[in-house]
Amino acid sequence: MSTAAHRPTGRDQLWSVDEHLEDILATVRPLEPIELQLPDAQGCVLVDDVMVPVSLPPFDNSSMDGYAVRVADVAGASEEFPAALDVVGDVAAGQAADLLYVGPGQAARIMTGAPLPAGAEAVVPVEWTDGGLGEGPVSGMRARSLAPEQASGHVRVYRPAEARAHVRAKGSDVKAGDRALDAGTVLGPPQIALLAAIGRGTVRVRPRPRVVVMSTGSELVQPGEELGSGQIYDSNSFALTAAARDAGAIAYRVGAVADDTETLRSTIEDQLVRADLVVTTGGVSVGAYDVVKEALEHVGDEDEAGSGVEFRKLAMQPGKPQGFGSIGPDHIPLLALPGNPVSSYVSFELFVRPAIRTLMGLEDVHRPTTRAKLIADKALTSPKGRRQFLRAAYDDGTVRPVGGAGSHLVAALAHADSLIVVPEDVESVEPGADVEVVLLG
C-alpha cells in the first residue's frame, strides 16, 4: 500500500477524515467478476446489463378462472337475459394455445395463467356465470372431474365483458429486447425472480466480499460466559460482524484475541485464506498493550513488498486512532479500528462500509446524508480541529442527540439511527441550527 505525496507525514501528524477515506478507496479494488447460479447470486452486484430474450408473459393468458369468450357473444348479458354459449373444452395452465378455437356462440373454460385460445377476445370470471350447472351464478370453478355429471356442456354468462378483459397481454411485463436489469444492480429477491422468469439460470456478478472481523483484548469474554474480575463482554466483534453483513458482505466473526503479539499475528494470518478484507478492533492507540499496532505496524516490511499497515491519528471524534494497509502475499486490505464500542462503530460506518461497497463494485458507497434542524436542550460543543460525529435520532427533518459524547456508551448507540456531523472549524452548535446528518438505517 502506498499513499499520495500530499498526505500527512510523521507520527504526530493528523489526517483528516476525508484524506483517510480517500486513501482507503484509492487502494481497495472491486472483486473480480464470477458466474453464479441464481440462488448463490443474491446480494451480489451485476457486472453486465441483462437483456430480455423472450417477452414476459410470452403469450396472452388469463388472469382469472373463468371462460374465454367473444365480446359480441356476451354483449348485453344480464341475470335476466344471460348469454348462453356452447363450451368447447378446457384450457389449463401449461397447455398449448392452439388446441382449441372459440367460434361464434362458443366459450372455453379457462384457468388462471392458461393461454387465451384462438378466436377468444376476453375472459369472463366464473363468478359471472352459472359454471355450466344451470343453477344461477356460482362462487367458483368446479373441478373438471365433476363436469360429466354436473355440467351440461353449456354456460350461461350474466355480465358483458370488454375486449381484453381479464387477459394478461403478451409482453405486458417486459418485451423481448428490453433491458431487464442494469449493471450495478444489487440482486435481491425481486431481481432474482425476474432473472428466473426470463430464463436466466446463471448471472455474472461481483461476489459478496468475505470480511473477517476480530476484536482484541485480554479483558474480553464471550457473551454467555461468566465474567471475572476486570473483564467485560466482547460486543465489538458482534456489532461489526452484523454491520458487515448489513453492508452486503459475507462476514466471519473471530473470537476475541488476547493481548499477545504473536497470537494476534498468527490468528490474522490463519484467517487470510477466507478474507477479502480484515477488520480488527482495539489495540491501535498508544498504550503499553496495544498489540494490534505492535503486531502489524511492520508486518510487511521484510517479506511482502507493498504490504504493511500504517497507524494514524485522525482529526475526528470519536475514532482518532486508526490503522489501514494490507497484509499477506495477496495484499488483503486490513482496517484496524479503535476498541471503544462507539469509536469502532462510527469508524466502521465511515471507513469500512465504503470499503465493502467498493469491493462489491458499487458506485455509491456512502450512507445517505441530509440536513436537519437540531433539537437539543443546550448547545452542542465540539473540540476545535476535530470533525465530531454524535449519535442521534432523526425524525422528519429534525435530529436529536442520543446519549452523551462518551465513546463507551453502547446503550445510547442502540437507540441511534443517524450521526450528527460537526465540522472541524465549529466548536458550538446552538439548538435550532441546521446540521448535516448521516442516516444509518
Side-chain angles (χ1 to χ4, degrees):
M1 184 203 74
S2 62
T3 57
H6 69 277
R7 297 291 186 234
T9 58
R11 299 181 64 89
D12 295 326
Q13 294 296 319
L14 281 181
W15 289 59
S16 72
V17 172
D18 296 334
E19 287 169 338
H20 185 59
L21 178 59
E22 182 182 342
D23 193 43
I24 292 169
L25 298 185
T27 304
V28 175
R29 292 286 182 266
L31 299 176
E32 289 298 316
I34 58 175
E35 191 84 12
L36 289 179
Q37 299 286 331
L38 288 190
D40 300 322
Q42 183 174 351
C44 297
V45 176
L46 271 181
V47 173
D48 309 305
D49 293 343
V50 175
M51 309 306 291
V52 179
V54 60
S55 294
L56 189 66
F59 48 81
D60 291 351
N61 69 92
S62 177
S63 66
M64 304 284 288
D65 290 339
Y67 290 84
V69 299
R70 289 173 175 254
V71 172
D73 290 336
V74 295
S78 65
E79 290 199 27
E80 186 178 0
F81 299 105
L85 305 175
D86 294 329
V87 179
V88 295
D90 283 3
V91 190
Q95 182 176 323
D98 57 357
L99 297 181
L100 283 179
Y101 179 81
V102 175
Q106 296 179 335
R109 196 165 72 153
I110 192 167
M111 309 306 158
T112 302
L116 191 71
E121 300 167 327
V123 173
V124 291
V126 65
E127 293 84 359
W128 296 5
T129 76
D130 67 353
L133 303 177
E135 299 173 356
V138 296
S139 60
M141 188 75 77
R142 292 297 184 94
R144 184 179 181 183
S145 60
L146 299 179
E149 296 82 20
Q150 298 184 11
S152 63
H154 304 281
V155 65
R156 288 181 173 84
V157 180
Y158 300 109
R159 291 175 60 177
E162 297 179 354
R164 311 297 292 176
H166 306 110
V167 174
R168 302 169 179 147
K170 175 182 178 179
S172 57
D173 193 351
V174 290
K175 294 181 173 60
D178 286 351
R179 182 186 290 108
L181 295 170
D182 294 327
T185 298
V186 179
L187 298 181
Q191 293 76 33
I192 296 289
L194 176 55
L195 290 168
I198 62 175
R200 289 291 295 265
T202 64
V203 66
R204 190 165 173 260
V205 296
R206 296 192 191 276
R208 294 169 63 195
R210 301 165 301 161
V211 177
V212 171
V213 177
M214 65 179 68
S215 52
T216 64
S218 298
E219 77 280 11
L220 299 177
V221 175
Q222 296 307 295
E225 298 179 4
E226 195 73 24
L227 281 180
S229 177
Q231 294 182 321
I232 60 173
Y233 287 120
D234 171 23
S235 63
N236 283 357
S237 66
F238 288 91
L240 300 190
T241 299
R245 289 173 180 159
D246 181 70
I250 299 170
Y252 304 105
R253 191 190 70 85
V254 179
V257 182
D259 288 324
D260 179 78
T261 300
E262 291 305 318
T263 300
L264 175 61
R265 188 176 292 157
S266 63
T267 300
I268 292 176
E269 290 173 352
D270 289 343
Q271 294 296 321
L272 293 180
V273 68
R274 63 172 181 174
D276 298 307
L277 176 68
V278 176
V279 179
T280 67
T281 172
V284 297
S285 190
V286 293
Y289 296 98
D290 288 328
V291 294
V292 174
K293 192 171 183 180
E294 182 181 348
L296 300 181
E297 192 165 24
H298 305 293
V299 73
D301 290 354
E302 297 179 1
D303 300 327
E304 304 297 338
S307 68
V309 179
E310 179 180 345
F311 290 86
R312 305 164 174 172
K313 298 175 183 177
L314 269 61
M316 64 179 286
Q317 186 184 52
K320 180 179 179 180
Q322 300 283 336
F324 170 63
S326 63
I327 188 170
D330 294 324
H331 304 297
I332 302 300
L334 182 145
L335 281 89
L337 311 183
N340 281 318
V342 177
S343 300
S344 69
Y345 182 71
V346 169
S347 298
F348 182 97
E349 288 291 339
L350 296 180
F351 307 124
V352 183
R353 182 182 173 91
I356 290 173
R357 307 290 279 180
T358 299
L359 287 167
M360 294 175 68
L362 290 167
E363 291 187 8
D364 186 5
V365 300
H366 302 288
R367 288 285 198 184
T369 61
T370 188
R371 306 292 300 186
K373 178 183 178 181
L374 175 64
I375 306 297
D377 297 330
K378 59 181 180 179
L380 304 181
T381 59
S382 186
K384 183 177 181 180
R386 302 276 190 91
R387 186 179 304 180
Q388 189 174 42
F389 297 89
L390 297 169
R391 288 144 292 168
Y394 175 81
D395 182 26
D396 192 26
T398 65
V399 67
R400 181 186 300 274
V402 174
S407 57
H408 65 292
L409 301 176
V410 183
L413 186 62
H415 298 284
D417 60 10
S418 57
L419 297 172
I420 298 171
V421 183
V422 183
E424 291 88 340
D425 58 351
V426 175
E427 297 182 59
S428 180
V429 183
E430 296 295 327
D434 182 62
V435 295
E436 180 184 357
V437 179
V438 178
L439 303 176
L440 301 179

